[in-house]
Amino acid sequence: MAPRFGFSDLWAKETRKGTPVVVTMENPNYSIVEVDEPDGAFRPMERTRGKNAKQVTWVLLLKAHRAVGCLAWLATAFWSLLGSVKRRLCFAHRLGSERLGRDRWLFTAIKLFLAASLSVLVFELVAYYRGWHYFNKKSPNLHEIQSLFHLVYVGWLSLRADYIAPLVRALSKFCIVLFLVQSVDRLILCLGCIWIKFKKIKPRVHEEPFANGDDVEGSGSEYPMVLVQIPMCNEREVYEQSISAVCQLDWPKDRMLIQVLDDSDDGSIQDLIRAEVTRWSQKGVNIIYRHRLVRTGYKAGNLKSAMSCDYVEAYEFVAIFDADFQPNSDFLKLTVPHFKEKPELGLVQARWAFVNKDENLLTRLQNINLCFHFEVEQQVNGVFLNFFGFNGTAGVWRIKALEESGGWLERTTVEDMDIAVRAHLHGWKFIYLNDVKVLCEVPESYEAYKKQQHRWHSGPMQLFRLCLGSILSSKIAVWKKANLILLFFLLRKLILPFYSFTLFCVILPITMFVPEAELPVWVICYVPIFMSLLNILPAPKSFPFIVPYLLFENTMSVTKFNAMVSGLFQLGSSYEWIVTKKAGRSSESDLLGLTDKESKKMPASQMVRGVSDSELLEISQVEEEKKKQTVVSVKKTNKIFHKELALAFLLLTAAVRSLLASQGVHFYFLLFQGLTFLLVGLDLIGEQMS
């Protein structure tokens, strides 16, 4: 019977008849077709074709090729890492290793923890391969004990569950609470920053501050007297560009004095800086050079000595720039006017901008932290509280505020925070200008960055211990006292490094060996990622570095925790000041070129006018020394950081233990965190120090 096509349905739907037919073919290359009605076999349908043995073989070969390629890539990467580790260990100089000194207590504790973890891991591996899988089950009864070793293992399980797990759970809950409190504080700061952006809130100057406009060469009677200080110590790489930038500030020359405060103990550097000051002095800049024979009190002592000069009494404001800072020419015109008709204003702080933020991975990660600090923390505290920590540079102080607050004190390594807290206790207000940026550098080597962070986290704890009584006895409002003690010091300076190190570097590895106290996934994954996203918001171009940033921040927690404890209890090198190594980079390449160009245009008679024979001889000697200097390759020393390496092996040991309990997220976190500690411990991040 001939088949009927679909168009026959238009007139003969009711006459369709037929019975279902099942056709089975013996050829395996054909599919089974079930026909429900006569026209069913001719309707459009999805036809599938079986795969023969040759096709299956090719598919398997392609998958095997991809797997082999992936394994080869992983093996190459692992082999390169092992090669780098071998070179570090073989060619590391003895002097290049980290000098622990009196900070050995933490390293000793980490080593003991590592030894105990390795012992427990070996113990449980033996038990695992003997078939005693009790990770998620109850311990066996006494009649099921097979041997003495089995009895010891069962005893360890009982000890772990009854005595160790409750302590670990209690400590983990305490740290989780601190973690959540700090996260809420960070979230509130971000919401405050969003509100500032939405409402476009920022300090403004409502009227023309200077009657003479841009005529800074006139009488300058409307311009206040400003003292500019550049403290430095052995800053060979950056002294020239910082002095050049400050000398080009747009301000009447008779209303500004520049002090170059040199604490260098290298005679050649002193000669270079003195010659640079002399050169600018001959161009009409009011600049002087000061050098202390005894470097007591570090930067605080240097500034205190400079403020004791008799001529300082004639000045109303003082601007401070560290040796690597390069302010724009309009810096004073953007900051000083905010003091007008605001007698309660003591400080105007500008923002930092970094010329080497894209130099390497370390500088990119630092840029994330510092952008959040200035964009969120400083701006929110400045708008809503009129108080924040002075950053030590790129700021203008009212000299009267410094004097009433007690001046610069040498009791801590954070003299900037010290003077800010004392000024706040005396009722002075601060303003932060997020739109005014000053170029500077961030450390390019891990060694320099670690020393800087140690000073920045040990100093606040020293200061908190010293000024707690003054805060409690001060006459400021109660809520300001609570803000200083609970938020400014405890939460952001003490609790943050404490829980970060304790939770992710101590408790998390312990929970791998004590599964009864396992941390939830949201603590080690979801909340940290969310907080990292908040930190990166002020630097949106850094979003691709969110994972390295999260891992690196946990790695730095050991340094910050060590510094915090050392400063709080006066342990180790809590009062050690090491000048941060600079590279001397500048994003404005024509800055020095412009200076040289102006020098060449200046007649020789004008250059030597008013200069003594001894000064001329000194300048000529310096110039000859510069000409004779040749480019010499400097051998860089490999560094080994003991605490980071010990923690790397500890976390990797815990990662191996997590495999026995099939803890996926915990394993990957411990693995990548351990590898990060390993890279940092071998100084494979950032540039190396000379």
Side-chain angles (χ1 to χ4, degrees):
M1 182 177 71
R4 291 182 300 174
F5 296 95
F7 56 81
S8 63
D9 294 341
L10 297 176
W11 64 85
K13 289 183 179 180
E14 67 282 356
T15 62
R16 281 183 2 189
K17 297 180 180 179
T19 58
V21 178
V22 178
V23 181
T24 304
M25 306 297 295
E26 295 182 356
N27 191 343
N29 290 331
Y30 293 90
S31 303
I32 298 175
V33 180
E34 181 176 349
V35 182
D36 293 330
E37 52 187 68
D39 294 338
F42 301 95
R43 294 179 180 176
M45 59 182 300
E46 182 180 357
R47 301 180 61 185
T48 59
R49 183 177 181 182
K51 297 180 180 179
N52 55 30
K54 184 179 294 185
Q55 290 175 323
V56 173
T57 302
W58 277 109
V59 171
L60 293 177
L61 286 176
L62 288 175
K63 292 183 177 180
H65 176 72
R66 293 178 181 176
V68 170
C70 181
L71 291 176
W73 181 85
L74 291 175
T76 303
F78 184 70
W79 188 258
S80 301
L81 177 61
L82 289 181
S84 300
V85 172
K86 181 180 178 181
R87 287 192 296 272
R88 290 290 181 193
L89 297 178
C90 293
F91 298 102
H93 196 272
R94 292 183 60 186
L95 297 178
S97 298
E98 180 187 17
R99 299 179 181 179
L100 296 175
R102 291 177 290 177
D103 290 335
R104 189 176 294 274
W105 65 272
L106 182 59
F107 179 56
T108 303
I110 296 174
K111 287 195 299 183
L112 293 176
F113 190 15
L114 175 61
S117 302
L118 288 173
S119 302
V120 174
L121 177 62
V122 173
F123 185 61
E124 295 204 355
L125 282 175
V126 174
Y128 181 83
Y129 284 109
R130 289 196 177 188
W132 305 331
H133 303 163
Y134 306 127
F135 300 110
N136 298 318
K137 302 178 182 179
K138 294 183 179 180
S139 301
N141 298 324
L142 292 177
H143 65 274
E144 299 177 357
I145 301 299
Q146 303 175 5
S147 62
L148 178 61
F149 183 78
H150 194 188
L151 179 62
V152 174
Y153 180 66
V154 172
W156 155 249
L157 294 180
S158 301
L159 175 67
R160 186 181 73 186
D162 298 337
Y163 298 99
I164 300 179
L167 295 177
V168 176
R169 279 196 294 265
L171 182 59
S172 62
K173 289 180 180 178
F174 177 69
C175 290
I176 289 173
V177 170
L178 297 180
F179 180 32
L180 294 178
V181 171
Q182 197 273 336
S183 301
V184 171
D185 173 67
R186 190 63 58 94
L187 179 60
I188 292 175
L189 288 174
C190 292
L191 293 177
C193 183
I194 294 174
W195 178 260
I196 291 173
K197 297 293 184 183
F198 177 73
K199 292 294 186 177
K200 298 180 180 180
I201 302 173
K202 65 178 182 179
R204 304 178 188 273
V205 179
H206 300 288
E207 58 183 17
E208 183 66 27
F210 308 115
N212 294 333
D214 296 331
D215 184 17
V216 300
E217 299 299 335
S219 61
S221 58
E222 297 294 330
Y223 290 81
M225 299 288 287
V226 178
L227 178 67
V228 183
Q229 296 177 332
I230 313 176
M232 58 179 62
C233 178
N234 296 325
E235 306 283 3
R236 182 188 296 271
E237 296 81 8
V238 294
Y239 77 92
E240 193 171 359
Q241 61 192 32
S242 63
I243 294 176
S244 174
V246 172
C247 288
Q248 298 181 66
L249 289 173
D250 188 10
W251 203 257
K253 295 180 180 179
D254 61 334
R255 312 292 292 180
M256 179 179 67
L257 172 64
I258 301 173
Q259 286 181 320
V260 178
L261 312 177
D262 182 24
D263 263 3
S264 303
D265 54 8
D266 189 332
S268 61
I269 299 179
Q270 295 175 23
D271 295 337
L272 292 172
I273 298 175
R274 189 181 293 110
E276 183 71 14
V277 171
T278 303
R279 184 178 297 108
W280 280 101
S281 179
Q282 300 315 307
K283 297 179 182 180
V285 177
N286 192 10
I287 183 173
I288 61 174
Y289 173 86
R290 282 180 54 86
H291 175 71
R292 295 191 304 162
L293 297 178
V294 180
R295 186 190 171 206
T296 58
Y298 304 112
K299 181 181 177 180
N302 197 1
L303 295 173
K304 182 179 179 180
S305 174
M307 294 298 294
S308 64
C309 298
D310 295 336
Y311 54 79
V312 174
E313 297 179 357
Y315 293 86
E316 186 178 358
F317 305 103
V318 54
I320 303 174
F321 300 99
D322 282 350
D324 59 315
F325 279 70
Q326 307 165 46
N328 293 329
S329 60
D330 59 350
F331 175 83
L332 293 179
K333 286 191 171 183
L334 295 176
T335 55
V336 175
H338 288 275
F339 289 97
K340 190 174 182 181
E341 297 181 357
K342 297 177 183 177
E344 76 284 357
L345 184 60
L347 168 67
V348 174
Q349 173 71 58
R351 181 174 176 169
W352 298 0
F354 311 105
V355 297
N356 60 338
K357 63 181 179 180
D358 298 325
E359 189 64 27
N360 53 49
L361 178 60
L362 178 61
T363 59
R364 292 177 184 272
L365 299 179
Q366 293 179 71
N367 180 62
I368 295 174
N369 267 340
L370 292 172
C371 283
F372 182 86
H373 169 70
F374 286 103
E375 185 82 17
V376 179
E377 293 179 343
Q378 297 291 77
Q379 186 170 209
V380 171
N381 290 326
V383 169
F384 294 104
L385 302 177
N386 291 122
F387 167 72
F388 47 82
F390 175 46
N391 294 117
T393 178
V396 181
W397 276 94
R398 189 188 298 270
I399 295 181
K400 182 180 178 181
L402 290 177
E403 294 174 347
E404 289 188 359
S405 304
W408 299 103
L409 298 182
E410 307 169 7
R411 56 182 182 175
T412 69
T413 57
V414 284
E415 75 293 328
D416 45 8
M417 185 181 296
D418 189 359
I419 188 63
V421 170
R422 286 184 282 117
H424 182 59
L425 295 179
H426 282 78
W428 292 98
K429 295 183 178 180
F430 303 162
I431 281 180
Y432 172 73
L433 302 179
N434 193 57
D435 297 334
V436 181
K437 301 179 181 181
V438 181
L439 296 176
C440 63
E441 292 185 16
V442 290
E444 296 183 8
S445 68
Y446 178 71
E447 182 185 12
Y449 179 62
K450 181 176 181 179
K451 292 177 180 178
Q452 181 194 70
Q453 292 299 306
H454 186 278
R455 185 176 77 247
W456 285 3
H457 286 81
S458 64
M461 289 299 97
Q462 286 180 307
L463 181 61
F464 176 68
R465 185 175 51 84
L466 294 173
C467 70
L468 179 59
S470 301
I471 295 175
L472 294 175
S473 61
S474 64
K475 298 180 180 180
I476 61 175
V478 176
W479 69 270
K480 291 185 178 181
K481 295 181 182 180
N483 173 68
L484 269 177
I485 297 175
L486 299 179
L487 295 181
F488 186 76
F489 279 113
L490 291 182
L491 183 59
R492 297 167 188 166
K493 302 298 188 297
L494 188 148
I495 291 178
L496 177 58
F498 171 78
Y499 86 76
S500 181
F501 173 75
T502 307
L503 189 60
F504 297 107
C505 299
V506 177
I507 295 179
L508 180 59
I510 289 178
T511 57
M512 296 299 100
F513 300 96
V514 187
E516 295 84 357
E518 179 182 348
L519 290 175
V521 175
W522 61 269
V523 173
I524 64 174
C525 182
Y526 302 143
V527 176
I529 291 179
F530 177 71
M531 300 312 299
S532 298
L533 285 173
L534 292 182
N535 287 357
I536 293 181
L537 284 179
K541 294 183 179 180
S542 301
F543 270 103
F545 303 96
I546 181 172
V547 174
Y549 171 74
L550 174 60
L551 297 174
F552 182 71
E553 281 301 293
N554 291 334
T555 305
M556 286 303 300
S557 65
V558 60
T559 298
K560 298 176 181 179
F561 176 81
N562 182 34
M564 181 268 294
V565 175
S566 300
L568 188 61
F569 299 103
Q570 292 291 289
L571 302 176
S573 56
S574 59
Y575 194 68
E576 181 182 6
W577 181 291
I578 299 177
V579 179
T580 305
K581 185 70 174 177
K582 314 294 193 315
R585 303 186 187 276
S586 174
S587 63
E588 298 182 8
S589 58
D590 59 339
L591 185 61
L592 296 179
L594 178 62
T595 303
D596 294 337
K597 184 177 180 180
E598 291 178 353
S599 300
K600 292 178 181 179
K601 290 182 178 180
M602 188 174 296
S605 59
Q606 186 177 352
M607 286 288 293
V608 302
R609 185 180 301 167
V611 183
S612 62
D613 295 339
S614 60
E615 290 177 339
L616 282 175
L617 179 61
E618 181 181 353
I619 293 176
S620 62
Q621 290 176 353
V622 171
E623 293 296 336
E624 290 296 330
E625 182 180 352
K626 286 184 177 181
K627 292 179 180 180
K628 292 180 181 179
Q629 287 179 350
T630 56
V631 179
V632 181
S633 60
V634 180
K635 185 177 181 180
K636 297 187 176 181
T637 307
N638 296 335
K639 302 292 180 180
I640 301 296
F641 300 99
H642 300 87
K643 291 190 287 290
E644 285 79 358
L645 283 180
L647 280 170
F649 295 129
L650 173 63
L651 294 177
L652 293 176
T653 302
V656 174
R657 173 60 180 80
S658 68
L659 287 177
L660 301 181
S662 301
Q663 296 168 317
V665 176
H666 298 73
F667 166 73
Y668 288 113
F669 180 85
L670 289 167
L671 175 63
F672 290 113
Q673 189 64 69
L675 292 177
T676 305
F677 267 106
L678 182 63
L679 295 175
V680 173
L682 296 173
D683 198 16
L684 294 175
I685 183 173
E687 299 293 335
Q688 297 178 19
M689 293 283 288
S690 301

